[in-house]
Structures are given as structure tokens and as C-alpha cells.
Amino acid sequence: MTGVAVAAALSVLALAAATVGLGSFGRRAAVTATDLMVASRGVTSLWNASAISSEYISAAAFLGTAGLVLAYGTDTLWLPVAATGGFVLLVAFVTAPLRRSGAYTISDFAEWRLGSVTVRRISSGCVCFIGWFYLLPQFQGAGVTLRVLTGAPVWAGWALVVAVVLTLTLSGGMRSITDVQAVQFWVKLVAIAVPAAALLVLWRLDGADTPSGPPVFGGATTIRVQTESAVRVTAPTAVTVRGTLDGERHDGERVVLSARDHRVGAGAELVFPRGAAVPHAARLPAHSGGAWAMPSERGRDHALYTTYSALLAVLLGTMGLPHILMRFYTNTCGRAARRTAAMVPGLLSLFYVFPALYGTLGRLYTPELLMTGDTDATILTLPRRLAPGLPGSLLVGLVAAGAFAAFISTTCGVVVALAGTVSQCVLRGGTGSFRVGAVFALAVPLCVAWTAGTQNAAGLVTLALTVSACSLCPLLLLGLWWRGLTPLGAGAGLVFGGGLAVATGGAGLFLGPRPGWTAALLAQPALVLAPATLAVMVGVSLAFPRSVPARADRALARMHLPEEAVLH
Amino acid sequence: MTEPRPSVPEPRPGETPALDPHGGTPPRRVVVANPRTRVARSVPPPDAGEPYAGEPYAGPYTGTGWNYATDLDEQTELGAVFARTLIRAQLRTALGTGGLVLGVVALLPLLAFVPGGAHAGPIGLPLPWLVLAAGIQPLWVYAARRQARLAETAEHDFARLVGRP
């Protein structure tokens, strides 16, 4: 354990130092506010595509996907497929015209296209909420990672990420961040691919097959429960308990757990014999091997609706992510932006194979995570389990470095986007206001992070994507392609869709899960809200066509005509 | 006849423009012709070894001082028609790609009904796993590249049409 902690701590520190070093390399030239926010335009398509992929691969992609696959089975692999598909939509509908509009943030775009400061303010609000929802899982992931690896309290992970991100954004801004992001994509890819290849080889040598029944312990296993939790036992199991179980103190006696829900106290140690079925945390579903391997709708309320809704949220939400869209400003022209975006699906596909592999192997080798509920820690626990000793520690160190690269790169991207938006909208530009904006962007999710305790990273990211799919995505689609959009229509749609999506997200975060149809609607509102928002924008625009901005035709021509055909 | 005459004579460089009865310069008149006509005019006759009486071929015909790009710059009705045509074409391409993406994603949950899918496939992993983790992604890569290529071709053709390639 100490070897792992040392390897992990060293690799995380090395990564943090390298990141800050790379950041300060770009800092020298960044003098004005424009320098802070706009990267130098000499970035090639592949380099910028790496940076974009890096920002998109957050804690949710790095840790969350494997955890979801472990807990819920193959059907959660739909989410990475939808995420990559979202970038195809981005290529088709958004990148080139948005780049040609010359807008830096989405708020700039809204004001330029519709000529309304009010719409600008509303979209800035949406950007803030999307960014905050997006930052939560990054903090969450950093906390879990550091806790699982070194036993440090969760806030230590948050503090580390906040410190590195603040140093980077306050010193070099976007200029340094493009380089940092692009390098970190390849760091993340290596960090996840090398251990995966090693694990694949070990697994084939081991000869174990994917289990057909419920997951079982491969050997006698000691589990230490860190927080008090409810677990569901499916078959009577004899265990040795040290600590509190169902309100009674035990001190190393053998207890037979009957097939029902049990409460395990904080700090309790349970020793399971080889071959015992793994109990599940009460909030996770228990799947047998067959049901796990098949994408299916069993075991959840209104699962078909929830599945389609989550898919649509990820697909459309990817189009409206402010920190991703800002990144295309780094390209010199619309065509380069489109080429850059077209490379991203390839890079993402390359990456997304690996979390799925970890989740599947995790079911074989680390099933106890289903009981402790720490499914986000699958990637971190697996190498040590398959390769004990020094090789395992080294692999864990590599994975930890990749995970922190994921937290840092995504957090940086979101913070720059938020700070840019806030400083231009509220504080009216300037280097100082950019820095104030960065601090503001980090402070809000830090205050809320305590309440997000039991949510997994992928669920939290879906929340951010839902808000984006129901507010900024319709604004972009209509603003870029339909001349009839009016400021009134856009504002009404943003308030309706964005407001309801934020409200449902907040309800899910603070009130916890509930059963039934209303709960399904509250948990995944995108399938209803996104088309409704589109309808509100179109309907209100058509009802009051007088306020179509005079510039609409010129703006559309500017966005879609190739640069060389337009007189500058 | 050293060069084709424009249908509306424009003042040559150096000439003073003719004044109209009200004293101002007359509004510039615009050649309305099919884009094909212009392309045909701009190409020298195939059998003319030395076209236009010894003058070298000097690029597309611009005898009136006017071309399609002028319309774009001056935001005329005709320029707006050009722009709208390009936007419609680009929107059709984008909707095609969008339809493909939405269709594939809508079909994914049907993988649940593949018979015998849960059994281990080639490398000990179930078939739906392989399809979802690695099977769909090449389609996305292809769709993104195709979309970028089609949109770029449309833009390139447009730039050539207005004479600013």
C-alpha cells in the first residue's frame, strides 16, 4: 500500500510540476487581456484537436465510464458512443460558421447575432451553470482518487486541483493552456493505454473468463468500509466482521449475512470467503453476468425513456459546451476549425476503448467496489489487483497521473471559459477582471461540492450536458442556420429550457433520487426539454417576427461564406 | 472586336462617366445572366491558338468591372440569393450527417434484441461490448471526415463561382 501511495504521489506531483512548468513557459509573452484569453493562432489542426479532446476527457470519461460499466453493465457504453457522435454534429452544424462569426465566447456570439445585451446576459448565465455543473465531477473525481490512493481526505484532492488550475489560469491564460491541454491528451492516452495492455495480457494469462452469474470474490477478501452504507446481500453469506454491523458491534466473530439489506458502520472490516457472491451497495443494481453483458432496460424505472434521454443530452449537450466552442477560436479560419473538429472523433474513439476494458475487467477482479460503492475507483484499483508488488504500483502511478491530467485539463478549460464570459459580461474586460472571474468560477462549485457526495462522476457530467442541450445548443443551431430567430425568441427559449434544466439538475443534486415517472423526467429531462426549447424559440420568433434583427441576412452570409469570398 | 462586348457599356478607365438628365451618375446596371454564361464567356475558344488577336489570355472575363463578388460585397439582392443558395446547400449536407448520427444512436438500444449476444466473442468479450466499444466509432470518424470534405468542396466551388478562389 505504501509503495502505491508513494508511486502515485510522485507521479501526481511530477505531473503538477510539469503542467505548471509548461504553463510558465508560455507565460512570458502573455501581457494584455487579449493575450490571456486568446491563444496564439499558429496552432496546427492536430494540436488543437488534441487540446479539444483533452478538455472533453474529464474525470467522467477517465474514471466514471469504467465505474459505470462495472456497476450498470454494457449499456452504459452508449454514453461514450453518443459523446463521440456529438462531435460529428459539431462538425456538421457549428464549428465553421461559429468561427467565422468571430465571436470568442457564446455570449459574444449571442450579442453579435441578435444585437441584444439581454440575450447576452441570459446566455452568460447558462454558461456559468453549465461550467459549475461540469466542475463538480472534476473535484469529486480528484477527491476520490487521492482518497483511494493515499487515504487523504477528499478536500486534499480538491485543493490540489484548485491550486494547479489557479496557478495556470492566472499566470498564462489560454496561451499556455492550449499547449498544456494538447500534451495532456497524449499523457492521458498513454496513462490509460499502457496499463490496459498489461492488464489484457495478464487477464489472458490468468485464463479467467467473464463471469456468467453474479460477480463473486476471486479469493478470501477483506473489505474496509470507509463511510456508513447500506448493502444488499443476495444469498446467505458467512463473513468475519470487525466493527459495527446492523447496529451491533462485532470483534472478529463469524456472522451469517441473510439475503436482505444490511447496514455496515464506518470503519468496519468484513472478510469474505473465496467464491462468495459480492453484496451490492443498495443504490447500485445487482446484475447477473448475462444481464450485465447485454445492453438492456431491465432493473430501472422507465429505463427506455431514461436511456434515450441521456443519449440525447450527451449528443446535443456536446454541441453547446462553452469551453469546447471557445477552443475553435484558436484556429485561423472556419475551414481550419472544421478540420480540427473532424479530427476529434478519431482521437476520442482511440481513448474510449480503454475505460470500457477497465470496467469489464473490474467486474472480474475488483467486484468489492460494487459493495463499497466506490465504482469510480475501478481504474485505480485494478492494476494493483492483477499485478501485485512494484509493477502494479508503477501502473497505478501512471493511471493516477492520467487521472489528474484529466481533472486539471478539464477544470482549466472550464475556468478559462467561465472567467472569459464573466469578465467580459459583468466586469467589462481587462486582465484583473479575468483573474477575478477565474476565482469566482472555482469558488461556487467548491461550496456545493460537499452535497454531491454520493453521485458518480458520469452522472454529474450528464447534468451539465443536459443544461447545455436545453439552452445553448438550440440557440446555436437556430442562430447559425435560421435568419428568423429574434432576440425575444432566443431569450424566451434560454430562460425556459436553461431554467428548467438547472432546476431539475439542482433538485436531483439536493433532493436525491425518487421513484416513478416524475423522477425519470426529473433525472433525465433532455428528451422532453430540448425539443420543447427549440419549439419555444421558433414559436416566439414566428409570433413576433417584427423584431428579426436587420443584420440577420448579413450575419448569416458572414458565417457561411468562405473567408476568401468576402471583402474584409 | 478585340473582346466580347458587355451588354451594358461601362465607362472605361479615364473616361468621364456620362451624366444622366438629372445630373447625377446613373445607377450602375447589372448584367443578369446565368452563371454558366459567364463561365462559357470566360473560357477562350478551343481552336483559337492566339485568342483575341494576339493578346494573352488574361483570366476570367471581367470586362464590365463587375463580378459576382461585387454583389456579395455590396449586399445586393443578387448577392443575398447567392449566399442563401450556399447556406441551403450546406444545411442539406449538415442535416444528412445529423440524420445519420441520430439514426444510429436511436438504433443502439435495439442491440438488446440481438439473439445470443451475451456469449463471449472472439477475445472473450461479449459481442454487444465489442460493437459499442469499438464498432460504432469508425462510423463516426468516417461521418465527420465526409462532412468536412463535402462542406469544404461546396465552399471551394462557391469561391470559384464568385471569382475569388
Side-chain angles (χ1 to χ4, degrees), chain A residues 72 137 141 214 240 276 296 334 410 449 455 462 467 511 514 523 557:
Chain A
Y72 295 98
T240 314
S296 71
T410 309
Q455 302 257 355
T462 314
V467 178
L511 302 180
R514 285 142 187 265

Side-chain angles (χ1 to χ4, degrees), chain A residues 80-244:
Chain A
V81 169
T84 318
F87 272 95
V88 181
L89 293 184
L90 201 72
V91 177
F93 289 102
V94 179
T95 45
L98 186 69
R99 175 64 194 92
R100 288 190 181 123
S101 78
Y104 172 54
T105 61
I106 294 199
S107 317
D108 289 345
F109 169 75
E111 187 178 2
W112 172 81
R113 168 71 178 80
L114 297 165
S116 157
V117 180
T118 317
V119 176
R120 181 201 180 98
R121 297 222 169 99
I122 300 173
S123 46
S124 294
C126 293
V127 167
C128 285
F129 277 108
I130 293 168
W132 289 331
F133 277 130
Y134 216 91
L135 286 178
L136 276 180
Q138 315 308 325
F139 291 150
Q140 173 92 347
V144 168
T145 306
L146 220 59
R147 176 166 63 82
V148 167
L149 291 179
T150 63
V154 280
W155 56 261
W158 305 352
L160 186 63
V161 167
V162 168
V164 174
V165 168
L166 271 184
T167 316
L168 272 178
T169 43
L170 295 193
S171 60
M174 186 116 154
R175 182 191 296 267
S176 58
I177 284 177
T178 304
D179 287 339
V180 173
Q181 297 278 18
V183 168
Q184 289 195 348
F185 171 76
W186 299 100
V187 169
K188 278 182 251 186
L189 194 64
V190 169
I192 202 165
V194 170
L199 294 181
L200 210 55
V201 170
L202 287 171
W203 170 53
R204 296 315 288 170
L205 288 179
D206 189 33
D209 209 351
T210 39
S212 55
V216 293
F217 289 108
T221 309
T222 307
I223 294 177
R224 196 178 151 77
V225 179
Q226 298 199 334
T227 50
E228 183 175 337
S229 56
V231 297
R232 181 163 300 154
V233 179
T234 46
T237 314
V239 294
T240 314
V241 185
R242 189 182 301 275
T244 316

Side-chain angles (χ1 to χ4, degrees), chain B residues 2 7 13 20 27 34 44 49-50 59 63-64 67 74 76-77 79 96-97 99 105-106 113 143 154 162:
Chain B
T2 56
S7 50
D20 72 354
N34 190 293
E50 289 284 307
T64 60
N67 60 28
E74 295 176 1
T76 62
E77 203 49 43
T97 306
V105 167
F113 302 108
V162 300

Side-chain angles (χ1 to χ4, degrees), chain A residues 534-562:
Chain A
L534 215 59
V536 167
M537 284 191 185
V538 173
V540 175
S541 295
L542 287 179
F544 304 96
R546 286 263 178 92
S547 58
V548 170
R551 70 182 77 190
D553 273 321
R554 294 185 65 163
L556 243 63
R558 165 90 188 260
M559 290 189 292
H560 292 278
L561 263 44

Side-chain angles (χ1 to χ4, degrees), chain A residues 81 100 295 308 338-339 360, chain B residues 75 106 112 129 140 152 155 164:
Chain A
V81 169
R100 288 190 181 123
Y308 273 122
R338 194 192 285 124
R339 283 188 187 164
T360 307
Chain B
Q75 315 280 327
W129 191 99
W140 289 160
E152 246 178 63
E155 283 170 4
R164 284 176 178 172

Side-chain angles (χ1 to χ4, degrees), chain B residues 2-67:
Chain B
T2 56
E3 59 173 327
R5 297 289 301 169
S7 50
V8 179
E10 280 282 312
R12 306 270 125 190
E15 269 180 41
T16 45
L19 295 181
D20 72 354
H22 306 289
T25 39
R28 194 171 54 80
R29 296 176 72 178
V30 172
V31 182
V32 178
N34 190 293
R36 291 283 110 206
T37 316
R38 186 179 159 275
V39 172
R41 278 183 190 164
S42 69
V43 179
D47 54 349
E50 289 284 307
Y52 309 133
E55 286 173 31
Y57 172 61
Y61 164 72
T62 51
T64 60
W66 170 88
N67 60 28

Side-chain angles (χ1 to χ4, degrees), chain A residues 110-491:
Chain A
E111 187 178 2
W112 172 81
R113 168 71 178 80
L114 297 165
S116 157
V117 180
T118 317
V119 176
R120 181 201 180 98
R121 297 222 169 99
I122 300 173
S123 46
S124 294
C126 293
V127 167
C128 285
F129 277 108
I130 293 168
W132 289 331
F133 277 130
Y134 216 91
L135 286 178
L136 276 180
Q138 315 308 325
F139 291 150
Q140 173 92 347
V144 168
T145 306
L146 220 59
R147 176 166 63 82
V148 167
L149 291 179
T150 63
V154 280
W155 56 261
W158 305 352
L160 186 63
V161 167
V162 168
V164 174
V165 168
L166 271 184
T167 316
L168 272 178
T169 43
L170 295 193
S171 60
M174 186 116 154
R175 182 191 296 267
S176 58
I177 284 177
T178 304
D179 287 339
V180 173
Q181 297 278 18
V183 168
Q184 289 195 348
F185 171 76
W186 299 100
V187 169
K188 278 182 251 186
L189 194 64
V190 169
I192 202 165
V194 170
L199 294 181
L200 210 55
V201 170
L202 287 171
W203 170 53
R204 296 315 288 170
L205 288 179
D206 189 33
D209 209 351
T210 39
S212 55
V216 293
F217 289 108
T221 309
T222 307
I223 294 177
R224 196 178 151 77
V225 179
Q226 298 199 334
T227 50
E228 183 175 337
S229 56
V231 297
R232 181 163 300 154
V233 179
T234 46
T237 314
V239 294
T240 314
V241 185
R242 189 182 301 275
T244 316
L245 177 71
D246 291 327
E248 282 178 49
R249 277 211 63 82
H250 298 275
D251 197 21
E253 302 117 48
R254 274 185 85 73
V255 179
V256 176
L257 294 176
S258 51
R260 62 180 178 87
D261 283 9
H262 296 272
R263 283 208 79 77
V264 187
E269 270 185 13
L270 282 76
V271 183
F272 285 86
R274 179 188 164 84
V278 179
H280 283 250
R283 63 191 165 84
L284 296 177
H287 280 311
S288 73
W292 178 85
M294 286 301 289
S296 71
E297 287 85 46
R298 286 179 289 272
R300 276 185 277 170
D301 283 346
H302 312 292
L304 194 61
Y305 165 79
T306 318
T307 304
Y308 273 122
S309 198
L311 284 179
L312 193 72
V314 175
L315 207 55
L316 296 184
T318 303
M319 266 198 281
L321 285 181
H323 61 292
I324 300 284
L325 293 175
M326 226 173 61
R327 186 61 65 198
F328 291 107
Y329 198 69
T330 312
N331 287 110
T332 44
C333 63
R335 196 165 294 161
R338 194 192 285 124
R339 283 188 187 164
T340 300
M343 286 181 190
V344 176
L347 295 177
L348 284 184
S349 312
L350 205 61
F351 176 86
Y352 269 128
V353 174
F354 300 109
L357 198 64
Y358 281 95
T360 307
L361 292 183
R363 202 166 163 83
L364 265 178
Y365 295 103
T366 58
E368 76 276 7
L369 295 176
L370 288 171
M371 180 182 158
T372 56
D374 270 342
T375 51
D376 279 349
T378 313
I379 290 192
L380 301 162
T381 325
L382 202 53
R384 211 168 25 185
R385 193 61 50 83
L386 265 163
L390 185 65
S393 301
L394 289 178
L395 290 180
V396 171
L398 196 57
V399 172
F404 268 90
F407 311 140
I408 290 169
S409 61
T410 309
T411 313
C412 272
V414 175
V415 166
V416 168
L418 283 188
T421 303
V422 170
S423 75
Q424 289 194 343
C425 184
V426 185
L427 308 163
R428 283 292 152 207
T431 323
S433 65
F434 181 82
R435 289 173 176 153
V436 172
V439 174
F440 173 67
L442 280 167
V444 174
L446 261 185
C447 298
V448 193
W450 293 106
T451 62
T454 55
Q455 302 257 355
N456 58 38
L460 287 169
V461 161
T462 314
L463 221 58
L465 290 170
T466 304
V467 178
S468 153
C470 301
S471 57
L472 297 183
C473 169
L475 173 75
L476 277 173
L477 284 182
L478 292 177
L480 290 171
W481 294 95
W482 185 46
R483 70 172 292 281
L485 183 70
T486 65
L488 190 64

